[in-house]
Amino acid sequence: MRNSRTLARLRNGEPVRICSLGHFIPSYVAHAARHGYDCIWLDLEHNAISTEEFRSLMPHFHMHDIDCMVRPKTRDRTSLYRYLEDGATGLLIPHVSTPELAQELVDAVKFPPLGDRGICGANLDSDYLGHPLSDYIEHAIQETFLVVQLETPTAIENAEKIASTPGVDGLFVGPGDLGIRVAHDATAMSVEAAIAHVAEIAAKTNKAWGLPVTADSIRTRRDQGAQLLAHGNDFLAMLQMLEQWSGEFTNALSPANNGTAKPAQQV
């Protein structure tokens, strides 16, 4: 049973380097681990990865010692803890706007005494019944995590109650969804004000927090106390590299580079 790199970082007060993945690309897992990432946010909410593909990816995370934080497409309780049984280290649950929902999630994915998760013990997370059940349960309690996304004005209003829910390990601001909703709610605080509020609540409740960042905002968010820093994904990697490579074709095949341009006159 492997330990969580994310939780080790959080317990040491260090930032967690996160990138995201939305497709079945085993090599991406290896490369992310080799380049210093601690965790991959595997996005099933907006991408179509089958159950078989998901289960096939999980041994790669374990082999390369990098956490898998799944953003699921469902909040069905048995489906949630199946992700953990199949080898995920943590869950990132979208659209958590109330403490009641936060508690339901804790009940689903945490073993007693925190929650009410069902037990099997014969899956990848326990090394296929390779350890006593008591050791497996204690390891799951200590080395798996639950992060909830705050993506609505209601979630920001309830941030302290959500963060204070025992078993919630972290808060993650979704600026995209939050921004859409703030734009249509004249009474809501701005996205920047919401982020600052979550930072204050996280410090007050001693909970980790984070959000997606750009190269220009990493330092700013870290200075605000963010530890869960998500930067980079497979979609943008493909988009940006294809744009670069296409530009290289354009530059190489332009008239200025095809040998037909007249040489400059000698002075």
Side-chain angles (χ1 to χ4, degrees):
M1 295 183 291
R2 66 173 295 276
N3 294 335
S4 168
R5 296 176 62 89
T6 298
L7 290 173
R9 293 277 192 187
L10 295 181
R11 289 163 182 161
N12 287 331
E14 299 170 340
V16 181
R17 296 184 180 190
I18 304 170
C19 58
S20 62
L21 176 64
H23 302 86
F24 180 74
I25 310 175
S27 59
Y28 186 94
V29 178
H31 290 310
R34 290 168 184 159
H35 286 87
Y37 281 93
D38 304 299
C39 179
I40 294 177
W41 155 9
L42 186 61
D43 188 5
L44 308 186
E45 180 189 11
H46 296 296
N47 296 282
I49 294 178
S50 70
T51 299
E52 292 74 18
E53 288 174 330
F54 172 79
R55 299 190 75 183
S56 296
L57 273 177
M58 288 306 100
H60 293 272
F61 283 88
H62 286 240
M63 178 170 61
H64 295 287
D65 192 27
I66 185 170
D67 288 3
C68 176
M69 178 174 68
V70 178
R71 181 160 70 174
K73 61 183 178 181
T74 177
R75 291 203 290 257
D76 171 71
R77 62 180 294 117
T78 58
S79 298
L80 292 180
Y81 62 69
R82 274 299 301 274
Y83 290 126
L84 300 176
E85 290 177 340
D86 286 337
T89 315
L91 297 171
L92 174 66
I93 309 297
H95 295 287
V96 178
S97 295
T98 66
E100 290 79 14
L101 177 53
Q103 184 60 59
E104 288 179 17
L105 294 168
V106 171
D107 288 343
V109 305
K110 300 284 187 175
F111 285 122
L114 279 176
D116 193 32
R117 174 182 166 182
I119 188 168
C120 175
N123 296 292
L124 178 59
D125 66 334
S126 67
D127 195 20
Y128 302 109
L129 206 57
H131 304 270
L133 281 180
S134 59
D135 292 348
Y136 160 61
I137 292 172
E138 181 62 24
H139 184 272
I141 291 172
Q142 294 297 322
E143 299 297 331
T144 62
F145 57 86
L146 171 64
V147 177
V148 298
Q149 282 197 264
L150 309 180
E151 302 180 274
T152 66
T154 300
I156 302 303
E157 292 173 7
N158 288 328
E160 184 167 357
K161 292 180 180 179
I162 292 171
S164 299
T165 304
V168 170
D169 300 298
L171 310 174
F172 198 84
V173 180
D177 277 294
L178 181 59
I180 293 172
R181 285 151 182 80
V182 165
H184 292 87
D185 185 346
T187 65
M189 63 177 67
S190 69
V191 172
E192 278 301 318
I195 291 171
H197 179 66
V198 171
E200 293 174 2
I201 294 301
K204 180 179 179 179
T205 58
N206 195 32
K207 293 291 175 72
W209 77 280
L211 72 173
V213 292
T214 64
D216 293 334
S217 68
I218 292 174
R219 184 70 260 172
T220 299
R221 299 312 183 192
R222 182 66 185 130
D223 289 344
Q224 287 179 291
Q227 289 179 268
L228 301 168
L229 302 172
H231 180 51
N233 60 69
D234 55 324
F235 175 81
L236 285 178
M238 290 186 289
L239 176 65
Q240 292 170 0
M241 286 311 304
L242 287 170
E243 182 179 20
Q244 176 184 321
W245 291 333
S246 178
E248 291 169 355
F249 267 117
T250 300
N251 290 336
L253 299 177
S254 66
N257 292 319
N258 66 6
T260 62
K262 294 182 179 179
Q265 293 183 351
Q266 296 294 323
V267 178

